[in-house]
Amino acid sequence: MARVLSAAVQGIEGYPIQVEVDVSNGLPSFEIVGLPDPAVRESRERVRAALRNSGLEFPARRITVNLAPADLRKEGPSFDLPIAVGLLAASGQIPGGRLNGTALVGELSLDGSLRPVHGLLTMALGLARAGAIGLVVPTSSRAEAACAGLIAVGSAGHLSEVVEWLRGLKPNLDHNLDQITGQNSDQNSDHSPEPGVNHGHGLDLAQVRGQAAAKRALEVAAAGGHNLLMVGPPGSGKTMLARRLPAILPDFSPDEALESSQIHSVAGLLPAGTGLLKTRPFRAPHHGVSAAALIGGGSYPRPGEVSLAHRGVLFLDEIPEFRRDAIESLRGPLEDGRVAVTRTGRSFQFPSRFLLVAGMNPCPCGYQGDPERICRCPPREVERYYGRVSGPVLDRIDLHILVPAVRYEQVSSEATEEPSAAVRARVQAARELQRRRFAYPEVPPSTGPGGSPVHCNAEMGPDELKEFCRLSTECRRLMESAFRRLGLSLRAHDRILKVARTVADLEGSEEIRVPHLSEAIQYRVLDRQG
């Protein structure tokens, strides 16, 4: 019998798995137990062919493989490598001494070469927490696994390389696993999490002609992490503006980069050969997306679009065309910054702290209020169109702005538009003020409504609003007038205060003044129009 350490993913958490292999006398058979899914059960054929094509003996005996703990669902081909090594150790073809504390993860091709698997970053973090001291992965996945920074990572391109290392014929795997002595290794310091420079996917605000008011709203949204709804006719630039929002967002911090990369690793969307994401994610799902695909779920729960957009941007173009249940499912993530998916016996938590940008037309045809084109939409159709997005969802969007059609003078103008770098510098300065405001040196950091640390003004809870959004007598009169005339809800009232705090931060002001509050109120276009 042999035991080999491996790992599995549940939700977005990594867990250590003991692969127990027993080779005994009896009729030849190969059984895998421990709640394996079809991909795990099929590893029997992959392992059999990989051993033979690597010049190794496949034992023609009774083979039982147990994946412990047995009550945890196992899925995916990541157990191919540990099962193959466990078979070799149990049949006496390799010594098992070097397997103590070292985990193996990887899919086997029929010729014995190793293929990458999803979720290696999450697995490495889970193994490090469990006290593992080493991890062997496919060569193409080493950078991803090494970003955990807490565990020695070696890589191999073929099963025969791992066998040679276990037999002592190969001195090491990528110059570090040979030095494992029972302590966590620091050999991966060159792969420790380092945030990349945010280049906004190569798009720049200077490419958008005109729309100064919309660009200002984009700057406020980026500075405070506020959700944004743009209402305008077709071709006014809503999509162009939304796609350039990541270019003005602040650079990833190490913790944010690790969080977001972990989710993309589980979803199999992390770019091959890279460790951490370098730019903030931008997700733009089609309006036919289901509620499960948007917020996450499924038979084997997986993160949805709101989690893939964590610490980035979720763009819903033409939001009234999305399914009603999909739009309504955004209520929880917008409020709490996380998604809870419950299945029989287990509950999964997916982070979803994203910046929502939505776009819509002013009417079904798109030309209501356009001075050049005639809108022929009946009032009832316009009312039904706006009614596709419920009041509670609109209430959770901080900024509502109009994006009018661009005039020819703006298109033909040779004036230079402000580049994203200049806007991002102001956003960074405002975010730095917020970072100092919410990170107290002597007490635990402030936490938002969902219990997570407050990173920006949009995440403030009632205590932070009371502390940092105090209004002068003149501001209170203005707020009272707006509250009564616009029929604001309490949630809309609080979101106006948060936006006003962000506008003040952009000016470097410690106090919220009347101009700051006035600008925040005028961003509630749909409340003004009823």
Side-chain angles (χ1 to χ4, degrees):
M1 180 176 172
R3 288 186 177 90
V4 181
L5 183 62
S6 188
V9 174
Q10 292 283 304
I12 58 168
E13 296 294 328
Y15 296 90
I17 298 293
Q18 284 285 347
V19 179
E20 301 175 339
V21 182
D22 178 74
V23 178
S24 58
N25 295 325
L27 292 175
S29 63
F30 194 164
E31 295 294 332
I32 300 178
V33 297
L35 286 183
D37 76 340
V40 178
R41 288 194 292 268
E42 289 171 356
S43 67
R44 295 176 298 188
E45 306 308 320
R46 292 192 295 271
V47 168
R48 190 192 314 269
L51 289 178
R52 289 174 176 169
N53 291 327
S54 301
L56 301 165
E57 179 187 350
F58 182 83
R61 301 166 68 185
R62 183 179 179 83
I63 301 169
T64 304
V65 176
N66 178 43
L67 306 177
D71 60 343
L72 201 65
R73 184 84 183 182
K74 323 299 186 309
E75 54 186 89
S78 60
F79 300 104
D80 289 1
L81 179 59
I83 289 175
V85 170
L87 269 176
L88 296 174
S91 60
Q93 298 182 60
I94 60 172
R98 287 196 175 189
L99 293 175
N100 295 330
T102 301
L104 292 89
V105 175
E107 177 185 348
L108 283 173
S109 298
L110 298 185
D111 63 356
S113 57
L114 294 178
R115 291 177 172 171
V117 296
H118 299 168
L120 267 175
L121 177 56
T122 293
M123 293 180 192
L125 291 168
L127 288 167
R129 287 193 297 267
I133 57 176
L135 174 62
V136 178
V137 299
T139 300
S140 58
S141 301
R142 184 178 188 274
E144 176 184 341
C147 281
L150 303 172
I151 188 171
V153 177
S155 64
H158 198 276
L159 174 61
S160 59
E161 297 178 37
V162 180
V163 172
E164 289 177 3
W165 174 68
L166 291 170
R167 288 174 173 172
L169 301 177
K170 188 179 180 67
N172 52 48
L173 291 175
D174 279 356
H175 311 292
N176 59 355
L177 279 178
D178 190 53
Q179 303 172 13
I180 295 175
T181 59
Q183 301 294 327
N184 282 345
S185 172
D186 60 356
Q187 298 293 322
N188 294 303
S189 58
D190 57 323
H191 287 283
S192 58
E194 286 290 338
V197 177
N198 181 16
H199 297 295
H201 305 276
L203 302 176
D204 198 288
L205 269 181
Q207 299 164 344
V208 181
R209 312 300 294 179
Q211 302 296 8
K215 290 179 181 178
R216 170 63 177 177
L218 230 63
E219 180 179 343
V220 173
H226 303 290
N227 302 317
L228 172 67
L229 172 65
M230 296 183 286
V231 183
S236 59
K238 301 186 294 295
T239 301
M240 284 188 70
L241 289 164
R243 290 190 178 278
R244 282 150 183 80
L245 180 55
I248 64 174
L249 288 173
D251 295 335
F252 262 141
S253 69
D255 288 344
E256 289 176 334
L258 190 61
E259 283 180 4
S260 190
S261 299
Q262 203 174 336
I263 298 169
H264 281 70
S265 172
V266 171
L269 299 177
L270 205 59
T274 61
L276 299 182
L277 292 175
K278 300 301 182 183
T279 57
R280 291 184 180 271
F282 179 88
R283 305 293 300 180
H286 186 264
H287 58 76
V289 66
S290 66
L294 190 62
I295 68 168
S299 301
Y300 306 113
R302 286 286 182 267
E305 292 291 337
V306 298
S307 296
L308 293 171
H310 182 62
R311 299 301 174 193
V313 177
L314 176 68
F315 178 46
L316 303 183
D317 194 11
E318 198 54 40
I319 188 172
E321 300 300 330
F322 281 74
R323 293 170 45 171
R324 183 62 179 259
D325 61 332
I327 298 176
E328 294 302 314
S329 68
L330 292 173
R331 291 193 194 185
L334 287 174
E335 196 74 21
D336 302 328
R338 66 177 187 270
V339 173
V341 179
T342 303
R343 292 294 179 266
T344 305
R346 287 193 63 82
S347 180
F348 302 89
Q349 297 281 343
F350 298 128
S352 58
R353 188 68 71 178
F354 57 91
L355 198 162
L356 173 66
V357 179
M360 63 183 295
N361 294 329
C363 65
C365 77
Y367 298 110
Q368 187 185 60
D370 193 309
E372 305 295 333
R373 305 197 184 202
I374 299 175
C375 172
R376 293 184 171 85
C377 298
R380 186 182 296 269
E381 288 297 322
V382 176
E383 183 179 350
R384 186 179 295 113
Y385 177 75
Y386 276 92
R388 294 176 187 173
V389 184
S390 68
V393 173
L394 289 176
D395 229 17
R396 288 167 168 80
I397 300 178
D398 306 42
L399 312 176
H400 310 156
I401 65 169
L402 295 178
V403 184
V406 180
R407 300 190 305 274
Y408 177 75
E409 294 79 12
Q410 296 172 314
V411 175
S412 60
S413 173
E414 296 183 1
T416 303
E417 300 285 348
E418 188 177 32
S420 294
V423 180
R424 186 169 64 246
R426 297 194 294 269
V427 171
Q428 290 270 35
R431 285 291 184 107
E432 180 61 23
L433 286 176
Q434 296 166 47
R435 187 194 65 80
R436 293 199 299 266
R437 178 182 300 137
F438 300 128
Y440 302 98
E442 297 181 358
V443 297
S446 178
T447 57
S452 60
V454 174
H455 289 78
C456 56
N457 289 334
E459 299 175 11
M460 286 191 292
D463 293 339
E464 288 79 26
L465 279 174
K466 184 177 180 180
E467 176 70 20
F468 303 119
C469 296
R470 295 185 178 132
L471 300 179
S472 64
T473 302
E474 191 175 3
C475 286
R476 280 201 297 271
R477 290 199 199 100
L478 176 61
M479 191 72 240
E480 180 182 1
S481 175
F483 192 88
R484 295 180 184 278
R485 293 178 60 186
L486 302 181
L488 299 175
S489 67
L490 182 59
R491 182 182 287 112
H493 169 273
D494 291 349
R495 290 184 181 275
I496 288 175
L497 291 182
K498 295 176 185 180
V499 173
R501 178 68 268 169
T502 299
V503 175
D505 288 343
L506 284 169
E507 291 190 5
S509 173
E510 291 292 331
E511 298 179 358
I512 297 177
R513 300 191 177 97
V514 170
H516 307 148
L517 187 60
S518 299
E519 182 175 350
I521 292 172
Q522 64 96 13
Y523 285 132
R524 304 293 297 189
V525 166
L526 295 187
D527 289 326
R528 295 208 309 270
Q529 295 185 342

